[in-house]
Amino acid sequence: KVRKALINKSSFEPADVDFETEIYSGAEEPYEFQFAQNFTAINGKFVFCEDEKDFVSNLVMLIQDNDWKEVFCFDPNINLMISGSLAINSKTAEIAKVDIGITGCECLIARTGSVMISSKQASGRRLPLFSNIHIVVAYTSQIVYNIKDGLKAIKKKYEGNIPSMIVNISGPSRT
């Protein structure tokens, strides 16, 4: 039947499809709150920090409370922020020992509570995938409403030189 259908094509032509109209209505509350609610609903752990100093103190406390040993970060901006407070490994040759990976992100998706990362970030493809626990550092300015807006932001940021890998992380991995 499939072969017959491919040979005898239908004359039916679908009407023009509108790809521009939004499917989902806009958020009624601020994106920060919507992201936090949706992220925690999919079992993500969320900590809002007032500033970078607050972030560092929360991170130090989190790592000490859980007795985590091998913490990796390849992002120079994050390393600069936490230098002097934590022992961070940034040697790519030792990535097989990674327990905790700290990375930035391209954006946070408020509607789904997802984190969008790409291969063009300092951590590349490796750190988010190798680490048992992935800590994402993001700013409220990186929060967008939906995935479409996130992809637009990446396209604008990289000016047509889109990363070879864009991943939308929606909750903890089942593995």
Side-chain angles (χ1 to χ4, degrees):
K1 288 182 180 180
V2 171
R3 185 171 190 217
K4 193 175 188 181
L6 290 173
I7 292 171
N8 302 320
K9 299 204 184 256
S10 170
S11 61
F12 172 74
E13 287 293 324
D16 289 337
V17 180
D18 180 9
F19 290 105
E20 298 303 317
T21 303
E22 292 296 326
I23 297 171
Y24 303 100
S25 61
E28 294 177 12
E29 52 191 13
Y31 291 168
E32 296 89 349
F33 296 126
Q34 189 172 11
F35 172 79
Q37 287 174 337
N38 291 330
F39 184 69
T40 54
I42 57 174
N43 293 327
K45 307 294 184 225
F46 177 82
V47 177
F48 182 83
C49 303
E50 287 292 324
D51 54 26
E52 291 175 349
K53 186 177 177 181
D54 188 29
F55 160 70
V56 173
S57 65
N58 279 315
L59 182 62
V60 168
M61 187 171 36
L62 181 68
I63 290 172
Q64 289 173 348
D65 288 350
N66 290 289
D67 197 31
W68 292 332
K69 300 294 181 211
E70 290 296 329
V71 180
F72 277 71
C73 182
F74 299 139
D75 189 314
N77 295 327
I78 297 172
N79 282 335
L80 183 63
M81 197 183 336
I82 56 183
S83 67
S85 301
L86 286 171
I88 300 292
N89 193 340
S90 58
K91 299 174 186 166
T92 56
E94 297 180 16
I95 196 164
K97 298 189 304 185
V98 67
D99 284 327
I100 313 304
I102 302 173
T103 71
C105 68
E106 294 293 348
C107 57
L108 303 174
I109 312 297
R111 193 182 68 74
T112 59
S114 302
V115 177
M116 192 173 279
I117 61 173
S118 81
S119 58
K120 290 231 178 178
Q121 293 175 247
S123 61
R125 298 170 185 260
R126 303 163 301 208
L127 198 53
L129 301 174
F130 272 94
S131 53
N132 293 323
I133 297 171
H134 182 199
I135 297 174
V136 176
V137 179
Y139 294 88
T140 54
S141 62
Q142 291 177 281
I143 301 175
V144 296
Y145 180 62
N146 59 29
I147 294 170
K148 181 179 175 181
D149 297 332
L151 292 172
K152 281 181 184 177
I154 289 175
K155 189 175 180 180
K156 181 179 177 183
K157 179 179 179 180
Y158 296 108
E159 298 176 355
N161 190 13
I162 295 182
S164 60
M165 179 196 80
I166 299 172
V167 175
N168 198 37
I169 303 170
S170 296
S173 169
R174 293 183 182 203
T175 59

